[in-house]
Each structure stands twice: as structure tokens, then as C-alpha cells.
Amino acid sequence: MTIEDLPTSLPKLAVIAREVGVSVATVSKTLNGRPGVSAHTRRLIVEVLERHGYPRHRLKPAKGSVVDVVLQGLSSAYALAILEGMEDAAWRLGVDLVVSTVVGRTKNGQPPPAWLDRISARDSAGVLLVRTLPTAVQRAWLADHGIPAVIVEPPRKPPPGLSVVVSANLAGAWAATEHLIGLRHERIAIVTGRPGVPCAAERLAGYRQAMAAAGLPIDPRWELCGYFQMDSALQVTRAMLVDLPEPPTAVFACSDAMALGVYQALAEHGLHVPDDVSVVGFDDSLAAGYATPGLTTVRQPWPELGRAALAALLSDEPPARAEVQTALVVRSSTAPA
């Protein structure tokens, strides 16, 4: 790549080098995908190039850097979206991704050991584990080989010393509950996820804190456990509607799948959404936009989780915990009480 190859609107290599604080040779290596440029420096150079209008697709990917991604499978929308974010960040950072899908799982959401055999066969710069936790033996092996690891949305509370990247679950649940409170709902039920899963506990905490901040009471009978499953949410909502003489006017379901179960239970009971009961979900899955009525929900930043996880892995000091912000998406399933 020579100076003449750059668009006329783009500063010359020396100008780019001064802006980033590196040598002209380092900029040239980045443009040509040659080794010898750290992931952090490459990211800075790419950001400056893009800011000046240089198309990213003309950059040659860096050679010699491999990051392993370990996940339970590619059948879910969230896994594909997280992987999409990782792929985007990998190009910017100049690394290649090697994806391993583990078949089955051991106790407490830990992957079987076969993925370590694959990683040991290549010079991996690090490991990203999506909703799975390494065992103590696997953590020790990674530490002995100097291979860093970052966990994306751990399925249970991770042991000390592991770096994790998660959605802002508590803040998202607070926003969902606050939205219902702003619509003058006071009797707000929650359908929580599987006990022991960190994101489920954080969403329940966000609901409780928002209710407490508004000075609203919480009836223990309003806290239902749906295990992140539509059928379970359907069953517990059915039972609540039968048992309570005065049911809640709003329900916050901690996943979109559970919200659809709530929809069905309300319909069976002759109640309409949102005229009789408002419903909020969590995820902003594809189903949320196609539900009738459209589901108000909290958008999970899945691609951003992937980008943040890879950036944390390749940083000099991966953070112990990084949160990626969620966003409330208001549709037609919520209305004033």
C-alpha cells in the first residue's frame, strides 16, 4: 500500500501516523495486514482511517492472530447475533475467529473438555466463552498456558478472577418497571427466569428496586418463576389469575418467550393486552415485533456484547466485569392503567 493508493480526501500516511501516535511503518503494516501491530494499535488506526472515509473492506486482515469462540450451538438468535458482533470486531482488531460448538454440557453449565484439545493444537490469543463457564481444571489449564478468557453472559455466578461481559440486566429491568409505573400501574407482577442464573437475579433486583423507589408494595404472589420458558410462564400466570381475586394490571416478563406465555394465559382468562393488562418483555427478539399486539420489551445488545467481549479479551487488562447498556423499546402492549 503506497501513499498513491489512498483516496485524495484521506490524509497521507504520515498525517495518520501523527494522529494515532505511531510510526508510518505501523500504519503501512495495518493497511497491508502484516504482523507486528498490536490489536489495540490496529483498532486506533482503523478508527482514524474510517473517520477519514477510508472503506474498511479495503483493509487487509491481519495475519497470525487467532481467537477461539466456544458456545453451546448456533441454533439460537442470540448466539448468532453475538457471533456477528465478534466477527465485526475481529475484522477491526485484525484477528481471526475459530468457532467451537460444544455438544452437551457438564454440571452447572460447564462445557465438556474437548474444546481444550482443539485450542491446544493452535496458538490461540484468547478464548471467548458464550453462556458457558470453564471448570476449575480448564481455568487452570488456560492460566498455565497464558491464554486469557472472557465469559459472555455466564449461566451462573462465575468464580473470582474471571472477566465477564454482560447486558445491563438490572438497569433494563428497572427501565421496564419504571415504564409501567409511569403509566400509573401500581399492581405489577413479574415472571422471573431460572433461579441461580445471574441475569435472572439481576432483572428481579431491578424490578424490586424500581417498585421500592416508587413507594409501591410488592405482593409475594406477584413474583412468579417462569424458568425463561413460554410454557412455564403460561402455567404460572394461569395459576395467578385463578388464585388472585384482583390480578395485577401489568406484568413484566423477564424474557420475550415468557411474555408470549403471559399473552396466552391472559387471553384464556378473557383479558386483553393492553386494555386490561399491560405486558413488557425482555430481549427484543424477532417474535416481539410480530406479536399481536407488538410487545414492549427491553432490547438486548447482543452484537454489542460480542464486540465488547473481544475488545476486552485483547486489551492489556481485561476488566473484571463490563456491562453493555440495554434499551427500552415501546410498542403496543403497554397502556395507562
Side-chain angles (χ1 to χ4, degrees), residues 8-314:
T8 55
S9 60
L10 190 69
K12 304 306 181 184
L13 293 184
V15 177
I16 299 170
R18 283 198 302 271
E19 187 169 343
V20 181
V22 297
S23 67
V24 171
T26 299
V27 177
S28 179
K29 286 180 180 179
T30 300
L31 288 168
N32 289 282
R34 294 198 302 270
V37 181
S38 70
H40 175 72
T41 300
R42 177 181 169 86
R43 183 176 73 248
L44 294 178
I45 293 172
V46 170
E47 288 174 353
V48 172
L49 287 168
E50 287 189 319
R51 191 163 63 244
H52 288 290
Y54 189 76
R56 186 181 64 173
H57 67 266
R58 290 192 59 188
L59 292 172
K60 295 181 180 179
K63 302 176 179 65
S65 297
V66 174
V67 168
D68 279 270
V69 181
V70 180
L71 36 72
Q72 292 292 335
L74 294 171
S75 59
S76 64
Y78 79 81
L80 290 173
I82 290 174
L83 190 58
E84 177 188 350
M86 290 177 179
E87 183 181 24
D88 177 69
W91 183 269
R92 292 175 180 270
L93 296 171
V95 299
D96 295 320
L97 299 181
V98 177
V99 179
S100 299
T101 55
V102 296
V103 179
R105 63 175 70 195
T106 58
K107 189 177 180 181
N108 294 325
Q110 294 164 334
W115 61 277
L116 279 184
D117 298 333
R118 294 189 288 269
I119 291 173
S120 64
R122 52 183 168 264
D123 186 17
S124 181
V127 183
L128 297 169
L129 296 106
V130 181
R131 290 192 176 181
T132 186
L133 281 173
T135 65
V137 172
Q138 292 166 351
R139 294 197 306 273
W141 185 93
L142 292 171
D144 289 343
H145 289 76
I147 301 176
V150 171
I151 317 300
V152 184
E153 292 287 353
R156 60 182 177 83
K157 185 177 180 179
L162 281 181
S163 296
V164 299
V165 175
V166 297
S167 295
N169 291 291
L170 190 149
W174 183 304
T177 309
E178 193 174 50
H179 170 68
L180 293 170
I181 294 171
L183 293 172
R184 300 190 300 280
H185 292 278
E186 296 182 357
R187 302 195 311 277
I188 304 173
I190 182 172
V191 185
T192 67
R194 185 175 298 278
V197 177
C199 67
E202 291 166 5
R203 293 171 198 177
L204 176 59
Y207 158 81
R208 288 175 173 172
Q209 291 179 20
M211 294 287 282
L216 297 177
I218 300 176
D219 189 326
R221 295 174 298 176
W222 298 349
E223 294 188 353
L224 316 174
C225 183
Y227 294 91
F228 287 127
Q229 297 174 357
M230 184 175 71
D231 288 344
S232 296
L234 168 62
Q235 293 170 13
V236 296
T237 307
R238 276 176 180 162
M240 178 187 68
L241 294 173
V242 170
D243 294 342
L244 295 182
E246 191 176 26
T249 63
V251 178
F252 167 40
C254 291
S255 75
D256 290 349
M258 293 194 297
L260 297 181
V262 173
Y263 268 35
Q264 184 173 338
L266 294 172
E268 293 174 357
H269 209 71
L271 297 172
H272 297 87
V273 179
D275 298 336
D276 300 311
V277 180
S278 289
V279 179
V280 178
F282 202 110
D283 284 335
D284 196 26
S285 63
L286 186 63
Y290 287 102
T292 304
L295 179 63
T296 295
T297 186
V298 178
R299 176 172 294 157
Q300 285 255 50
W302 285 323
E304 289 78 7
L305 281 172
R307 297 185 190 102
L310 186 58
L313 182 74
L314 297 179

